[in-house]
Amino acid sequence: MNLTERFLKYVTFDTQSDEERGTTPSSPGQLVLALELEKELEAIGLEDITLDDNCYLMATLPANTAKKVPTIGFIAHLDTSPDMSGKNVTPRIVSYKGGDIVLCAEENVVLSPVMFPELNDYKGQDIIVTNGKTLLGADDKAGVAAIISAVQYLKDHPEIEHGKIRIGFTPDEEIGQGADHFDVEKFGCEWAYTIDGGQIGELEYENFNAAGAKVTFKGLNVHPGYAKNKMLNASLLAIEFASWLPVSQRPEHTAGYEGFYHLTNMSGTIEEASLSYIIRDHVRTLFEEKKEQLRLLVKRMNEIHPGSTTLELRDQYYNMREVVEPKKYIVDLAFEAMEAVGVKPLVKPIRGGTDGARLSFMGLPCPNIFAGGLNFHGRYEFLPVNSLEKSMQTIIKITELLAQKS
């Protein structure tokens, strides 16, 4: 089974994570995929294969050199985003010549370079697309496929000298829980790389500081005909509260290192309403200021309407740069590997997060490397085959260069 075939197989597994379920893994399909991967790793001949009750799959490719080479790891996640269906994914390979790609004629779903100009970068290449009704799942089944194909290649080519390599596959990354039960000590690496980036060349060791917030409003319902000076409409309180946050700090108005407040869910009646937000910023001080702003606005609402408003605020992860930058050589190694396989490295901050962010603060420095996909989490997701192949080649080259330098 070659790399592309492997990826096309993996996307047929429905592995959407589910934030409401409260289990690990949060969806049964993730375990089904993990069991299939376990069989593949056994067939390849890897060692120390373990799949625990929480759906963390780990394995070892032993060193084939007497040199003292640091043990490193490669990590990807099993789940796909709950933002769109990952069931009955029907991918197809398109030899892209330019122009529009009709994904679903009956629903007029078209992948167009007018909306997605990055398509123009892949003229003359084979790209894998959806049928316009589901996401594709390149986030992060492309990473899973690249890692497994890389270790199989190294197993089949013992002339490539390398140290001990650990691989790991995690559940529930898309709902921020991918590192919850990851056993760093058991994984046993000096550092690792998540293969969870987007376009070819991405190399990231900075990410958002992240928190989640839920603001709840209590109202008072009376008959609207007799409501004067009595009714307190919780839904209107929520609308008013949302209007107090700066418009310029919404995701649709930010880029680069700019942070944001993102309203992800709202519900409401007269009696009770709620707003759910994610708060993001690369700079820790600005991140803390954003959280404090929410606290102040809740205080302000309670001064106007005593006892009406409560805030639940939870940090999710922090910027891995604090941990990785003192060990910048692990980023430099990936940079060199990309150049060696003909990829131009694109070092930039992640406007999001990966398992690697939390793992870095758990003692496993973990930069992020591209897997090749674009337009994640939706029907317009696509994966250039060449980008996937270059991700696999980068993994192989990292292990080769590390052995040469040891």
Side-chain angles (χ1 to χ4, degrees):
M1 182 163 47
N2 66 30
L3 173 59
T4 302
E5 291 169 342
R6 183 167 271 130
F7 172 75
L8 293 175
K9 175 184 175 182
Y10 296 164
V11 299
T12 64
F13 290 79
D14 181 9
T15 61
Q16 277 185 279
S17 44
D18 182 355
E19 195 167 19
E20 302 300 319
R21 193 176 179 94
T23 61
T24 303
S26 67
S27 57
Q30 295 182 70
L31 181 57
V32 174
L33 176 57
L35 288 166
E36 181 65 26
L37 297 180
E38 183 182 35
K39 293 177 186 176
E40 283 194 37
L41 300 180
E42 289 171 350
I44 291 170
L46 298 193
E47 300 179 4
D48 303 324
I49 301 170
T50 61
L51 176 59
D52 67 19
D53 292 341
N54 291 311
C55 201
Y56 289 78
L57 176 61
M58 298 180 182
T60 299
L61 178 64
N64 65 357
T65 178
K67 292 180 180 179
K68 292 184 178 180
V69 182
T71 299
I72 63 170
F74 297 94
I75 299 168
H77 62 88
L78 302 167
D79 63 318
T80 58
S81 171
D83 289 351
M84 191 170 193
S85 174
K87 186 177 182 179
N88 298 323
V89 173
T90 307
R92 63 187 171 100
I93 300 175
V94 175
S95 181
Y96 188 55
K97 306 301 183 184
D100 292 350
I101 301 173
V102 177
L103 302 179
C104 179
E106 62 183 356
E107 297 180 18
N108 195 31
V109 181
V110 178
L111 179 61
S112 171
V114 175
M115 182 177 292
F116 303 106
E118 58 270 24
L119 260 177
N120 291 316
D121 297 333
Y122 302 99
K123 286 182 182 178
Q125 296 187 29
D126 287 344
I127 63 174
I128 305 171
V129 299
T130 75
N131 66 352
K133 298 180 181 181
T134 69
L135 49 66
L136 177 61
D139 181 14
D140 188 27
K141 289 168 183 171
V144 175
I147 291 171
I148 293 181
S149 293
V151 293
Q152 178 165 29
Y153 187 91
L154 289 168
K155 182 75 173 176
D156 294 342
H157 292 80
E159 71 276 9
I160 300 175
E161 202 173 28
H162 60 81
K164 180 180 177 181
I165 299 166
R166 291 281 279 162
I167 64 173
F169 303 111
T170 65
D172 297 331
E173 188 271 353
E174 294 291 356
I175 57 174
Q177 298 170 16
D180 280 6
H181 303 286
F182 191 98
D183 191 333
V184 170
E185 183 177 355
K186 175 183 173 182
F187 199 51
C189 295
E190 293 192 31
W191 71 86
Y193 300 92
T194 49
I195 311 301
D196 191 20
Q199 72 180 102
I200 186 170
E202 281 189 2
L203 174 56
E204 300 150 327
Y205 67 98
E206 300 178 72
N207 61 277
F208 278 136
N209 296 290
K214 183 176 182 180
V215 191
T216 303
F217 306 87
K218 297 291 185 181
L220 176 64
N221 190 14
V222 296
H223 190 288
Y226 308 96
K228 186 173 182 179
N229 299 325
K230 297 176 183 177
M231 179 184 285
L232 182 62
N233 191 321
S235 292
L236 291 177
L237 296 185
I239 292 170
E240 183 176 10
F241 184 94
S243 73
W244 290 346
L245 288 168
V247 173
S248 62
Q249 293 185 44
R250 295 175 183 170
E252 59 267 35
H253 300 302
T254 62
Y257 283 93
E258 297 170 330
F260 55 73
Y261 302 91
H262 179 33
L263 179 61
T264 58
N265 188 59
M266 60 187 301
S267 63
T269 63
I270 296 169
E271 287 280 356
E272 182 171 319
S274 67
L275 302 172
S276 295
Y277 287 93
I278 59 172
I279 299 98
R280 301 290 189 262
D281 210 295
H282 283 95
V283 180
R284 188 66 171 264
T285 54
L286 296 178
F287 173 63
E288 296 298 334
E289 287 176 9
K290 282 182 168 58
K291 292 191 293 181
E292 182 60 22
Q293 177 71 1
L294 283 180
R295 295 187 187 101
L296 291 173
L297 293 181
V298 168
K299 180 181 178 182
R300 175 182 169 187
M301 185 64 78
N302 281 323
E303 288 171 349
I304 301 170
H305 304 288
S308 65
T309 309
T310 57
L311 171 66
E312 300 171 47
L313 188 59
R314 178 177 64 89
D315 285 1
Q316 296 169 318
Y317 53 82
Y318 303 108
N319 190 342
M320 74 172 88
R321 180 173 182 167
E322 296 178 32
V323 177
V324 175
E325 195 164 46
K327 299 181 178 181
K328 183 74 168 7
Y329 57 86
I330 70 180
V331 178
D332 296 338
L333 178 65
F335 191 102
E336 184 179 350
M338 287 186 192
E339 290 190 317
V341 300
V343 172
K344 181 180 179 181
L346 304 173
V347 182
K348 61 180 185 178
I350 308 170
R351 287 187 60 79
T354 69
D355 282 342
R358 288 184 59 198
L359 292 172
S360 292
F361 284 90
M362 291 164 62
L364 182 66
C366 212
N368 191 42
I369 291 173
F370 73 95
L374 295 97
N375 297 345
F376 291 154
H377 297 190
R379 69 185 76 235
Y380 298 103
E381 186 180 4
F382 68 94
L383 174 65
V385 172
N386 177 68
S387 299
L388 177 60
E389 291 172 346
K390 289 298 183 181
S391 179
M392 182 192 82
Q393 292 170 19
T394 298
I395 294 168
I396 295 167
K397 186 58 69 173
I398 286 172
T399 66
E400 184 179 7
L401 289 174
L402 183 59
Q404 291 174 1
K405 294 172 183 291
S406 298

